[in-house]
Amino acid sequence: MDVKAAEVLELSPVVPVVALDDAGQAVDLARALVRGGIGTIEVTLRTPAGLPAIERIAAEVEDIVVGAGTVTEPGQAARAAEAGAGYLVTPGGTDRLLDDLDEVGLPYLAGISTVSEAMRLAERGVSAMKFFPAEASGGVPYLQSLSGPLPGLRFCPTGGIGPDNARDYLALPNVGCVGGSWITPKRLLAAGDWGGVEALAREAAALR
């Protein structure tokens, strides 16, 4: 499924952020999320299983858009695209990394945590961004304050967000979705409890 960066924010109210240790779990995990009403998953490149997991999900689960997260250096974007990623997510954005993302051509959510970083991305024609680390960078009040001077920008806040505060972020006009790992906790992955993941996904999907 082809998407634009702005459309990534509309795929699901919550983007599950997952660091998989076993690529063999990827398809079952993605299918559980789909059954729960979640339309996307961000598989981070923090582990060796990241790229193989993206490849399996892209090939076998057609009802979900898989993104590659924690893209931090040139070269990773191209490898993620080859694996079948539909979009890319970075924690921040150096000029070198952003140039590489633009060259690869996939939609991306580059991370920002300051007004200047947001404005620099806007100068590049980017209007959809990741706000990270959300809670540590000012949280809901900070994002609320950005809507006045930067009304054309929308965000996916990630970092310190869970079921207790996700709804507060989603209520902001400049927030399209939130990212978090609470839908896919390590304990459920370790147990292969896909029914538990499905239940958490259903609760998250109902937040919008």
Side-chain angles (χ1 to χ4, degrees):
M1 185 187 300
D2 294 329
V3 293
K4 298 177 181 178
E7 294 170 345
V8 172
L9 301 184
E10 308 300 331
L11 292 171
S12 291
V14 179
V15 178
V17 180
V18 188
L20 282 172
D21 295 316
D22 179 5
Q25 295 183 316
V27 170
D28 286 335
L29 172 59
R31 286 175 176 161
L33 293 172
V34 170
R35 290 195 300 270
I38 295 294
T40 186
I41 179 174
E42 177 189 330
V43 177
T44 73
L45 302 185
R46 300 175 196 169
T47 67
L51 284 175
I54 290 169
E55 189 169 14
R56 292 190 184 192
I57 294 170
E60 299 183 45
V61 190
E62 62 181 20
D63 294 324
I64 200 165
V65 180
V66 57
T70 321
V71 176
T72 58
E73 57 188 53
Q76 287 182 318
R79 291 192 291 274
E82 290 170 3
Y87 63 93
L88 307 166
V89 185
T90 79
T94 64
D95 288 334
R96 184 173 172 229
L97 178 60
L98 294 171
D99 288 343
D100 188 63
L101 296 178
D102 286 334
E103 186 174 336
V104 170
L106 283 181
Y108 61 83
L109 298 176
I112 68 98
S113 60
T114 69
V115 175
S116 293
E117 289 170 348
M119 291 174 65
R120 285 181 67 240
L121 277 178
E123 284 183 354
R124 300 177 72 107
V126 175
S127 61
M129 310 172 187
K130 173 178 175 175
F131 178 57
F132 175 82
E135 282 289 281
S137 298
V140 169
Y142 189 93
L143 278 174
Q144 202 165 25
S145 70
L146 291 186
S147 62
L150 302 173
L153 304 185
R154 300 186 74 224
F155 301 92
C156 174
T158 305
I161 298 176
D164 294 335
N165 60 359
R167 199 180 296 274
D168 295 332
Y169 281 93
L170 291 168
L172 298 176
N174 58 349
V175 168
C177 62
V178 300
S181 58
W182 80 89
I183 304 176
T184 57
K186 289 286 188 183
R187 59 181 175 80
L188 295 186
L189 298 184
D193 185 354
W194 310 124
V197 171
E198 179 183 344
L200 291 175
R202 187 169 288 108
E203 292 174 4
L207 289 172
R208 178 127 68 199

